[in-house]
Amino acid sequence: MGKLFGTDGIRGVVGKNLTVDLAFRVGQSVATVLQEETGKRPTILIGKDTRISSDMLECALIAGICSVGGNVLPLGVIPTPGVAYLTVLEKADAGIVISASHNPYEHNGIKVFNCQGYKLPDETEQRVEDLILNNAEMNIKTGGEIGRCLRGMEMLKQAYIHHLRSTVSCELGGLRVLVDCANGAASATAPELFTALPLQADFINMDPDGININEKCGSTHLDILAKSVVAGEYDLGIAFDGDADRCLLVDELGNTIDGDKVMAVCGLMLREQGLLTGNTIVATVMSNLGLHEFCRNNGIELVCTAVGDRHVLEKMVECDYAIGGEQSGHTIFRAYATTGDGQLTALQFLQVFVQSGKKASELVSCCPQYPQELINVAVDHTPGVKERIMADESVWAMVREKEALLNGEGRILLRPSGTEALIRVMVEAKTTEIALQVANDLADYIKKLSK
C-alpha cells in the first residue's frame, strides 16, 4: 500500500497526522482523478460517523471537491455500508466515508468507494496519493464551474433502511433483542430499522456526544451487553462498531457469537437454499480452528485470505462466492451488499435464528471454538518499526519454538495492524492456559524489541 492509504483507507489522529489540510487535498485529488476517468463533473456522496472531528473533516472534503468542480451529496451520519449502497443506487461516481470504525474517538479516517460500491482499486488510490504527496497543482474552478453541495438527502437514508428490511423474508415476531449502537453511526439507523420489524428491540449506547463512540461499548466491548442480555432475559444481543460495518452477537447465556459462528450458521442456511456458490465460505487466517472443523464436518470448503475484509471481498468477487468475512464481525453477503454490513448481518442471523426454533446458544454450537488469545502489542509510531520487528529472525525462531510446544494442537499468528501502531499476537491451543502463556511470552519478547 502507499504512504497515505492503509488497508482501510486513510487513518490517523485528527490534528496530528490527519488534518483539515489533508482532508481538503484528498477531496481535491479524488474529484480530479474521477474527472480524468469519466470526462465529466463528478458527483460524490459523503457519509460520516459521530466523532467530534467528522463534521470538520466533512467540511474540508466538501470544500476540496467543490473547488475543482465536483458536486457533493452529504448523507450526514450513516453507517459505512450505507454509503456504499447509496453510491450505487444514486449512480454517483464515488462515495466517501469519514470514520475510523472501531478506533477511539481521537482517531478518524477517510475511506473511498468507487461507483460500484467497492473500495478503490490500488492503482486509483495510488493516483490520488501521488497528487497529494507531490503537492500537485490543481485545476481550481471559477464562476459556474465551481461544484455544488446538494442538500435534502434524508430520503436516501430511508432508501438504505428500506433495502435492509427487504432482505428479511420471514416473520421475526416473538423475539426480544438488545441492540448496542456503540454511540456511533448505527444510532442514526438501527432504532428505525429494528422497531419496524415485528420483534421487540431495546437499545443501549445510542446517545453520541462526539467523544463517546466505541467507549466501553459496541462490538469491541461486549461485557455490558452480555450482562444486560442475561439480566433482561433477552433472546439475543446485537453489537455494532462505530461505523456499523461489523456486528458481533451475544447469546441468551451471555456468550459471544463471533463472525466465524455467524458465517457457519448463515453458510448452512445458504446451502439449504441452494445459494452457497462454490459450496464455499471465505474467511481469513485469523479465523478460529473451530470454523475449519465445522466446514470439514459439514462438507463445506473454507478458503482463507490475508487479514482484512478487502482481501475477503476480492476473493469472493474473483470466484463468485456468496458469503465471507472475519472473526471480528465483518460479514459480507454478496447478494445484498458490496461490503461488510453490521445491520444486514444481524438481520440475516435473526432469520436463521427464528427459523431454527432453537436458542441462540444451541444454534451456534455447531461451530466449535478453540481457546484463543489475542494480544495487541503497542509499538513505537515511528515508520518502519513494525516492519523491522516482523523481519527479525529471532522473533520467528521463538515462534517455531512455541509451535513445537503446541505439538500440532494449535497455531500461532503474528501480524502488524494495518491501521494502528500494533503487532497482533494470536495463539490458539488445546487449553486457555497454554494459549495465554504462549501469547504472553511472544508479546513480552516483541515489547522488548520495540524499545
Short mmCIF file of all heavy atoms in Angstrom, two decimals, residues 396-447:
data_model
loop_
_atom_site.label_atom_id
_atom_site.label_comp_id
_atom_site.label_asym_id
_atom_site.label_seq_id
_atom_site.Cartn_x
_atom_site.Cartn_y
_atom_site.Cartn_z
N TRP A 396 10.89 -15.06 14.79
CA TRP A 396 10.37 -16.27 14.14
C TRP A 396 11.00 -17.53 14.72
O TRP A 396 10.37 -18.60 14.72
CB TRP A 396 10.58 -16.17 12.64
CG TRP A 396 9.80 -15.01 12.11
CD1 TRP A 396 10.29 -13.80 11.70
CD2 TRP A 396 8.38 -14.90 12.02
NE1 TRP A 396 9.27 -12.95 11.35
CE2 TRP A 396 8.08 -13.60 11.53
CE3 TRP A 396 7.34 -15.78 12.29
CZ2 TRP A 396 6.78 -13.17 11.32
CZ3 TRP A 396 6.04 -15.35 12.08
CH2 TRP A 396 5.77 -14.07 11.61
N ALA A 397 12.22 -17.41 15.24
CA ALA A 397 12.82 -18.55 15.94
C ALA A 397 12.01 -18.88 17.18
O ALA A 397 11.78 -20.06 17.51
CB ALA A 397 14.26 -18.23 16.31
N MET A 398 11.56 -17.84 17.87
CA MET A 398 10.74 -18.06 19.06
C MET A 398 9.37 -18.63 18.69
O MET A 398 8.83 -19.50 19.39
CB MET A 398 10.56 -16.75 19.83
CG MET A 398 9.90 -16.93 21.18
SD MET A 398 9.91 -15.40 22.14
CE MET A 398 9.25 -16.00 23.71
N VAL A 399 8.82 -18.17 17.58
CA VAL A 399 7.54 -18.72 17.11
C VAL A 399 7.67 -20.20 16.83
O VAL A 399 6.82 -21.01 17.23
CB VAL A 399 7.06 -17.97 15.84
CG1 VAL A 399 5.89 -18.71 15.18
CG2 VAL A 399 6.65 -16.55 16.19
N ARG A 400 8.74 -20.59 16.15
CA ARG A 400 8.95 -22.01 15.84
C ARG A 400 9.09 -22.83 17.12
O ARG A 400 8.59 -23.96 17.22
CB ARG A 400 10.18 -22.18 14.94
CG ARG A 400 9.99 -21.65 13.52
CD ARG A 400 11.12 -22.07 12.61
NE ARG A 400 12.38 -21.43 12.98
CZ ARG A 400 12.79 -20.25 12.50
NH1 ARG A 400 12.02 -19.58 11.65
NH2 ARG A 400 13.96 -19.75 12.85
N GLU A 401 9.79 -22.26 18.09
CA GLU A 401 9.96 -22.95 19.38
C GLU A 401 8.61 -23.17 20.06
O GLU A 401 8.33 -24.27 20.57
CB GLU A 401 10.86 -22.11 20.28
CG GLU A 401 11.02 -22.65 21.69
CD GLU A 401 11.76 -21.67 22.59
OE1 GLU A 401 12.63 -20.92 22.09
OE2 GLU A 401 11.46 -21.65 23.80
N LYS A 402 7.76 -22.17 20.05
CA LYS A 402 6.45 -22.28 20.69
C LYS A 402 5.53 -23.22 19.90
O LYS A 402 4.73 -23.96 20.50
CB LYS A 402 5.80 -20.90 20.82
CG LYS A 402 6.57 -19.93 21.71
CD LYS A 402 6.67 -20.45 23.14
CE LYS A 402 7.40 -19.45 24.04
NZ LYS A 402 7.53 -19.94 25.44
N GLU A 403 5.64 -23.19 18.58
CA GLU A 403 4.82 -24.10 17.78
C GLU A 403 5.17 -25.55 18.07
O GLU A 403 4.28 -26.43 18.09
CB GLU A 403 5.02 -23.81 16.29
CG GLU A 403 4.32 -22.54 15.82
CD GLU A 403 4.58 -22.22 14.37
OE1 GLU A 403 5.64 -22.64 13.85
OE2 GLU A 403 3.75 -21.55 13.76
N ALA A 404 6.43 -25.81 18.32
CA ALA A 404 6.84 -27.17 18.68
C ALA A 404 6.20 -27.61 19.99
O ALA A 404 5.80 -28.78 20.15
CB ALA A 404 8.37 -27.24 18.78
N LEU A 405 6.06 -26.67 20.93
CA LEU A 405 5.42 -26.98 22.20
C LEU A 405 3.94 -27.28 22.03
O LEU A 405 3.36 -28.09 22.77
CB LEU A 405 5.60 -25.82 23.18
CG LEU A 405 7.03 -25.55 23.68
CD1 LEU A 405 7.06 -24.31 24.56
CD2 LEU A 405 7.56 -26.76 24.46
N LEU A 406 3.30 -26.63 21.06
CA LEU A 406 1.87 -26.88 20.82
C LEU A 406 1.64 -28.25 20.21
O LEU A 406 0.53 -28.80 20.29
CB LEU A 406 1.31 -25.80 19.88
CG LEU A 406 1.26 -24.37 20.44
CD1 LEU A 406 0.75 -23.41 19.37
CD2 LEU A 406 0.40 -24.29 21.69
N ASN A 407 2.67 -28.80 19.59
CA ASN A 407 2.63 -30.19 19.11
C ASN A 407 1.45 -30.45 18.18
O ASN A 407 0.77 -31.47 18.28
CB ASN A 407 2.56 -31.16 20.32
CG ASN A 407 2.92 -32.58 19.92
OD1 ASN A 407 3.69 -32.80 18.99
ND2 ASN A 407 2.35 -33.55 20.63
N GLY A 408 1.20 -29.51 17.28
CA GLY A 408 0.15 -29.72 16.29
C GLY A 408 -1.26 -29.47 16.80
O GLY A 408 -2.23 -29.63 16.05
N GLU A 409 -1.41 -29.10 18.07
CA GLU A 409 -2.75 -28.89 18.63
C GLU A 409 -3.01 -27.39 18.85
O GLU A 409 -3.50 -26.97 19.89
CB GLU A 409 -2.89 -29.65 19.96
CG GLU A 409 -2.82 -31.15 19.79
CD GLU A 409 -3.00 -31.89 21.10
OE1 GLU A 409 -2.51 -31.40 22.13
OE2 GLU A 409 -3.64 -32.95 21.09
N GLY A 410 -2.69 -26.61 17.85
CA GLY A 410 -2.90 -25.17 17.93
C GLY A 410 -2.11 -24.48 16.85
O GLY A 410 -1.51 -25.12 15.97
N ARG A 411 -2.08 -23.15 16.91
CA ARG A 411 -1.33 -22.40 15.91
C ARG A 411 -1.01 -21.01 16.46
O ARG A 411 -1.60 -20.55 17.44
CB ARG A 411 -2.10 -22.27 14.61
CG ARG A 411 -3.42 -21.54 14.75
CD ARG A 411 -4.08 -21.35 13.40
NE ARG A 411 -5.35 -20.64 13.55
CZ ARG A 411 -5.86 -19.82 12.64
NH1 ARG A 411 -5.21 -19.59 11.52
NH2 ARG A 411 -7.01 -19.22 12.84
N ILE A 412 -0.04 -20.37 15.80
CA ILE A 412 0.41 -19.02 16.19
C ILE A 412 0.38 -18.14 14.95
O ILE A 412 0.79 -18.55 13.86
CB ILE A 412 1.85 -19.05 16.75
CG1 ILE A 412 1.90 -19.91 18.02
CG2 ILE A 412 2.34 -17.65 17.04
CD1 ILE A 412 3.32 -20.19 18.49
N LEU A 413 -0.14 -16.92 15.12
CA LEU A 413 -0.17 -15.98 14.02
C LEU A 413 0.28 -14.61 14.53
O LEU A 413 -0.27 -14.08 15.50
CB LEU A 413 -1.58 -15.87 13.44
CG LEU A 413 -1.77 -14.94 12.24
CD1 LEU A 413 -1.00 -15.46 11.04
CD2 LEU A 413 -3.24 -14.79 11.90
N LEU A 414 1.29 -14.06 13.88
CA LEU A 414 1.74 -12.69 14.17
C LEU A 414 1.46 -11.84 12.94
O LEU A 414 1.73 -12.26 11.81
CB LEU A 414 3.25 -12.63 14.44
CG LEU A 414 3.84 -13.44 15.58
CD1 LEU A 414 5.31 -13.11 15.72
CD2 LEU A 414 3.12 -13.16 16.88
N ARG A 415 0.93 -10.63 13.15
CA ARG A 415 0.72 -9.74 12.01
C ARG A 415 0.70 -8.29 12.49
O ARG A 415 0.21 -7.99 13.59
CB ARG A 415 -0.57 -10.07 11.27
CG ARG A 415 -1.84 -9.72 12.02
CD ARG A 415 -3.07 -9.96 11.16
NE ARG A 415 -4.28 -9.47 11.80
CZ ARG A 415 -4.76 -8.23 11.65
NH1 ARG A 415 -4.12 -7.37 10.87
NH2 ARG A 415 -5.86 -7.85 12.26
N PRO A 416 1.23 -7.39 11.69
CA PRO A 416 1.16 -5.97 12.03
C PRO A 416 -0.22 -5.42 11.70
O PRO A 416 -0.83 -5.81 10.70
CB PRO A 416 2.23 -5.34 11.13
CG PRO A 416 2.29 -6.25 9.95
CD PRO A 416 1.99 -7.64 10.46
N SER A 417 -0.74 -4.53 12.53
CA SER A 417 -2.01 -3.87 12.23
C SER A 417 -1.84 -2.98 11.01
O SER A 417 -0.80 -2.34 10.83
CB SER A 417 -2.45 -3.03 13.43
OG SER A 417 -3.53 -2.19 13.07
N GLY A 418 -2.86 -2.95 10.19
CA GLY A 418 -2.80 -2.09 9.02
C GLY A 418 -3.19 -0.66 9.30
O GLY A 418 -3.01 0.22 8.46
N THR A 419 -3.76 -0.39 10.50
CA THR A 419 -4.26 0.95 10.80
C THR A 419 -3.70 1.56 12.07
O THR A 419 -3.89 2.74 12.32
CB THR A 419 -5.79 0.93 10.92
OG1 THR A 419 -6.17 0.01 11.97
CG2 THR A 419 -6.44 0.48 9.62
N GLU A 420 -3.01 0.76 12.92
CA GLU A 420 -2.53 1.25 14.19
C GLU A 420 -1.09 0.80 14.42
O GLU A 420 -0.60 -0.13 13.75
CB GLU A 420 -3.41 0.75 15.34
CG GLU A 420 -4.86 1.17 15.25
CD GLU A 420 -5.70 0.52 16.32
OE1 GLU A 420 -5.76 1.06 17.45
OE2 GLU A 420 -6.29 -0.54 16.06
N ALA A 421 -0.41 1.43 15.39
CA ALA A 421 0.97 1.04 15.73
C ALA A 421 0.93 -0.16 16.67
O ALA A 421 1.25 -0.08 17.86
CB ALA A 421 1.70 2.21 16.38
N LEU A 422 0.51 -1.27 16.13
CA LEU A 422 0.33 -2.50 16.90
C LEU A 422 0.86 -3.70 16.13
O LEU A 422 0.81 -3.72 14.89
CB LEU A 422 -1.16 -2.75 17.21
CG LEU A 422 -1.94 -1.71 18.00
CD1 LEU A 422 -3.42 -2.07 18.00
CD2 LEU A 422 -1.41 -1.63 19.44
N ILE A 423 1.34 -4.69 16.86
CA ILE A 423 1.58 -6.01 16.30
C ILE A 423 0.66 -6.97 17.05
O ILE A 423 0.67 -7.01 18.29
CB ILE A 423 3.04 -6.44 16.43
CG1 ILE A 423 3.91 -5.59 15.49
CG2 ILE A 423 3.21 -7.93 16.11
CD1 ILE A 423 5.38 -5.93 15.53
N ARG A 424 -0.13 -7.71 16.31
CA ARG A 424 -1.12 -8.59 16.90
C ARG A 424 -0.54 -10.00 17.05
O ARG A 424 -0.03 -10.56 16.09
CB ARG A 424 -2.40 -8.60 16.07
CG ARG A 424 -2.96 -7.20 15.80
CD ARG A 424 -4.35 -7.25 15.22
NE ARG A 424 -4.78 -5.97 14.66
CZ ARG A 424 -5.23 -4.95 15.37
NH1 ARG A 424 -5.30 -5.05 16.68
NH2 ARG A 424 -5.59 -3.82 14.79
N VAL A 425 -0.65 -10.52 18.27
CA VAL A 425 -0.18 -11.87 18.56
C VAL A 425 -1.39 -12.74 18.84
O VAL A 425 -2.12 -12.52 19.80
CB VAL A 425 0.75 -11.88 19.79
CG1 VAL A 425 1.23 -13.31 20.09
CG2 VAL A 425 1.93 -10.95 19.57
N MET A 426 -1.65 -13.72 17.98
CA MET A 426 -2.79 -14.61 18.16
C MET A 426 -2.31 -16.04 18.35
O MET A 426 -1.49 -16.54 17.56
CB MET A 426 -3.72 -14.52 16.96
CG MET A 426 -5.08 -15.22 17.17
SD MET A 426 -5.04 -16.98 16.78
CE MET A 426 -5.04 -16.95 15.00
N VAL A 427 -2.81 -16.68 19.40
CA VAL A 427 -2.43 -18.07 19.68
C VAL A 427 -3.69 -18.88 19.96
O VAL A 427 -4.55 -18.47 20.75
CB VAL A 427 -1.49 -18.16 20.90
CG1 VAL A 427 -1.14 -19.62 21.19
CG2 VAL A 427 -0.22 -17.34 20.67
N GLU A 428 -3.80 -20.02 19.31
CA GLU A 428 -4.86 -20.99 19.61
C GLU A 428 -4.18 -22.25 20.13
O GLU A 428 -3.13 -22.66 19.62
CB GLU A 428 -5.68 -21.31 18.36
CG GLU A 428 -6.56 -20.16 17.92
CD GLU A 428 -7.24 -20.42 16.59
OE1 GLU A 428 -6.94 -21.44 15.93
OE2 GLU A 428 -8.07 -19.58 16.21
N ALA A 429 -4.79 -22.85 21.13
CA ALA A 429 -4.19 -24.04 21.74
C ALA A 429 -5.28 -24.93 22.32
O ALA A 429 -6.47 -24.59 22.31
CB ALA A 429 -3.21 -23.62 22.83
N LYS A 430 -4.84 -26.06 22.85
CA LYS A 430 -5.80 -27.03 23.39
C LYS A 430 -6.51 -26.49 24.61
O LYS A 430 -7.68 -26.81 24.86
CB LYS A 430 -5.04 -28.32 23.72
CG LYS A 430 -5.93 -29.51 24.02
CD LYS A 430 -5.10 -30.77 24.18
CE LYS A 430 -6.00 -31.99 24.41
NZ LYS A 430 -5.19 -33.22 24.55
N THR A 431 -5.80 -25.69 25.41
CA THR A 431 -6.40 -25.10 26.60
C THR A 431 -6.15 -23.60 26.63
O THR A 431 -5.21 -23.09 26.01
CB THR A 431 -5.83 -25.72 27.89
OG1 THR A 431 -4.46 -25.31 28.03
CG2 THR A 431 -5.92 -27.23 27.88
N THR A 432 -6.98 -22.89 27.37
CA THR A 432 -6.82 -21.45 27.51
C THR A 432 -5.49 -21.12 28.17
O THR A 432 -4.83 -20.14 27.81
CB THR A 432 -7.98 -20.87 28.35
OG1 THR A 432 -9.22 -21.14 27.68
CG2 THR A 432 -7.82 -19.37 28.54
N GLU A 433 -5.11 -21.92 29.14
CA GLU A 433 -3.87 -21.67 29.88
C GLU A 433 -2.66 -21.71 28.96
O GLU A 433 -1.77 -20.84 29.02
CB GLU A 433 -3.70 -22.69 31.01
CG GLU A 433 -4.71 -22.56 32.14
CD GLU A 433 -6.10 -23.07 31.78
OE1 GLU A 433 -6.21 -23.84 30.79
OE2 GLU A 433 -7.07 -22.69 32.47
N ILE A 434 -2.62 -22.71 28.09
CA ILE A 434 -1.48 -22.83 27.16
C ILE A 434 -1.48 -21.67 26.18
O ILE A 434 -0.43 -21.05 25.92
CB ILE A 434 -1.55 -24.17 26.41
CG1 ILE A 434 -1.37 -25.35 27.38
CG2 ILE A 434 -0.49 -24.21 25.31
CD1 ILE A 434 -1.56 -26.70 26.74
N ALA A 435 -2.65 -21.34 25.64
CA ALA A 435 -2.74 -20.25 24.67
C ALA A 435 -2.29 -18.93 25.30
O ALA A 435 -1.54 -18.15 24.68
CB ALA A 435 -4.17 -20.13 24.15
N LEU A 436 -2.72 -18.68 26.53
CA LEU A 436 -2.37 -17.42 27.21
C LEU A 436 -0.88 -17.35 27.49
O LEU A 436 -0.25 -16.30 27.31
CB LEU A 436 -3.17 -17.29 28.49
CG LEU A 436 -2.96 -16.00 29.30
CD1 LEU A 436 -3.33 -14.79 28.44
CD2 LEU A 436 -3.79 -16.02 30.57
N GLN A 437 -0.29 -18.45 27.93
CA GLN A 437 1.13 -18.46 28.25
C GLN A 437 1.99 -18.20 27.01
O GLN A 437 2.91 -17.39 27.04
CB GLN A 437 1.53 -19.80 28.88
CG GLN A 437 2.98 -19.88 29.32
CD GLN A 437 3.32 -18.84 30.37
OE1 GLN A 437 2.71 -18.81 31.43
NE2 GLN A 437 4.30 -17.97 30.09
N VAL A 438 1.65 -18.87 25.93
CA VAL A 438 2.42 -18.70 24.69
C VAL A 438 2.26 -17.27 24.17
O VAL A 438 3.24 -16.63 23.75
CB VAL A 438 1.97 -19.73 23.63
CG1 VAL A 438 2.61 -19.41 22.28
CG2 VAL A 438 2.34 -21.14 24.07
N ALA A 439 1.04 -16.77 24.19
CA ALA A 439 0.80 -15.41 23.71
C ALA A 439 1.55 -14.38 24.54
O ALA A 439 2.14 -13.44 24.00
CB ALA A 439 -0.70 -15.11 23.71
N ASN A 440 1.52 -14.54 25.85
CA ASN A 440 2.23 -13.61 26.74
C ASN A 440 3.74 -13.64 26.50
O ASN A 440 4.40 -12.58 26.49
CB ASN A 440 1.92 -13.92 28.20
CG ASN A 440 0.59 -13.36 28.65
OD1 ASN A 440 0.15 -12.33 28.15
ND2 ASN A 440 -0.07 -14.03 29.58
N ASP A 441 4.28 -14.83 26.33
CA ASP A 441 5.72 -14.96 26.09
C ASP A 441 6.13 -14.23 24.82
O ASP A 441 7.14 -13.49 24.79
CB ASP A 441 6.12 -16.43 25.99
CG ASP A 441 6.05 -17.15 27.34
OD1 ASP A 441 5.92 -16.47 28.37
OD2 ASP A 441 6.12 -18.41 27.35
N LEU A 442 5.35 -14.41 23.76
CA LEU A 442 5.67 -13.76 22.50
C LEU A 442 5.47 -12.25 22.59
O LEU A 442 6.28 -11.47 22.08
CB LEU A 442 4.80 -14.33 21.38
CG LEU A 442 5.18 -15.75 20.91
CD1 LEU A 442 4.07 -16.34 20.06
CD2 LEU A 442 6.48 -15.72 20.12
N ALA A 443 4.40 -11.83 23.26
CA ALA A 443 4.13 -10.40 23.40
C ALA A 443 5.24 -9.71 24.19
O ALA A 443 5.69 -8.61 23.83
CB ALA A 443 2.79 -10.20 24.08
N ASP A 444 5.69 -10.35 25.26
CA ASP A 444 6.77 -9.76 26.08
C ASP A 444 8.04 -9.60 25.27
O ASP A 444 8.76 -8.60 25.40
CB ASP A 444 7.03 -10.64 27.30
CG ASP A 444 5.90 -10.57 28.33
OD1 ASP A 444 5.09 -9.63 28.26
OD2 ASP A 444 5.84 -11.46 29.19
N TYR A 445 8.33 -10.59 24.43
CA TYR A 445 9.54 -10.52 23.62
C TYR A 445 9.45 -9.39 22.59
O TYR A 445 10.41 -8.65 22.38
CB TYR A 445 9.77 -11.86 22.90
CG TYR A 445 11.11 -11.94 22.20
CD1 TYR A 445 12.29 -12.08 22.93
CD2 TYR A 445 11.19 -11.85 20.82
CE1 TYR A 445 13.52 -12.14 22.30
CE2 TYR A 445 12.41 -11.92 20.17
CZ TYR A 445 13.58 -12.04 20.92
OH TYR A 445 14.79 -12.09 20.29
N ILE A 446 8.28 -9.24 21.98
CA ILE A 446 8.09 -8.18 20.99
C ILE A 446 8.19 -6.81 21.66
O ILE A 446 8.75 -5.86 21.08
CB ILE A 446 6.75 -8.36 20.27
CG1 ILE A 446 6.80 -9.60 19.36
CG2 ILE A 446 6.38 -7.12 19.44
CD1 ILE A 446 5.49 -9.99 18.76
N LYS A 447 7.68 -6.68 22.86
CA LYS A 447 7.76 -5.41 23.59
C LYS A 447 9.23 -5.01 23.79
O LYS A 447 9.59 -3.82 23.66
CB LYS A 447 7.06 -5.53 24.93
CG LYS A 447 5.55 -5.57 24.86
CD LYS A 447 4.95 -5.79 26.25
CE LYS A 447 3.44 -5.98 26.17
NZ LYS A 447 2.86 -6.29 27.50
#
